[in-house]
Amino acid sequence: MKVQSFHAKIEIIGINPFVQVPPKILLEIFRQSGKDKGPIPVCGSVNRKAYRQTLVKYAGEWRFYINSVMLKESPKRVGEVVAITMRHDRGDRTIRPHADFERALNEDQEAREVYEALPASRKKEIVRYISALKKQESIDFNIQRAIGFLKGGNRFVGRDKPR
């Protein structure tokens, strides 16, 4: 799959730095991915630093958001021109729920039912949060918070109770 290269000036919308992808390159990414709607996984480099990101359409425009992991202090670099390579990313991006979280859901039918009824994006948010934790103590603590959230007892990942 051919890697596309371009230079673009960092812009900002709200607090989010992004670049506009040239139309010719967008068409090639659409061709590579087989779609021109919905989020499109891409990978490549920004100023020679590798990234995995998602190309999204927002307010009628396709935008390639540049976070601070991809480019240090990206919000402060608005106006800077960066070198970007990009291609469709066919890699698997599935995040499996932490085994302890699955076990907790299997042990609590009420929490399981609420979890299963959540939109896919909310489930992914919970799974991603717990899966990113490193210390077992943090994992255990946050699984209990997640179960409490699902049962309507508390907030979790910045969200109010789901009921």
Side-chain angles (χ1 to χ4, degrees), residues 124 131 161:
K124 184 177 179 180
S131 296
K161 303 171 212 171

Side-chain angles (χ1 to χ4, degrees), residues 85-136:
T85 65
M86 180 181 292
R87 70 172 174 79
H88 171 59
D89 183 8
R90 292 188 180 173
D92 182 17
R93 293 190 178 192
T94 305
I95 300 173
R96 299 273 318 137
H98 193 283
D100 292 347
F101 181 56
E102 284 187 329
R103 192 170 13 266
L105 287 174
N106 289 334
E107 292 172 0
D108 193 316
Q109 187 61 33
E110 180 185 358
R112 165 69 72 185
E113 287 173 7
V114 173
Y115 178 77
E116 293 300 333
L118 291 175
S121 61
R122 188 74 37 81
K123 290 183 207 174
K124 184 177 179 180
E125 187 176 37
I126 293 169
V127 167
R128 183 180 286 162
Y129 184 86
I130 292 171
S131 296
L133 298 169
K134 304 288 187 245
K135 294 182 181 177
Q136 189 61 46

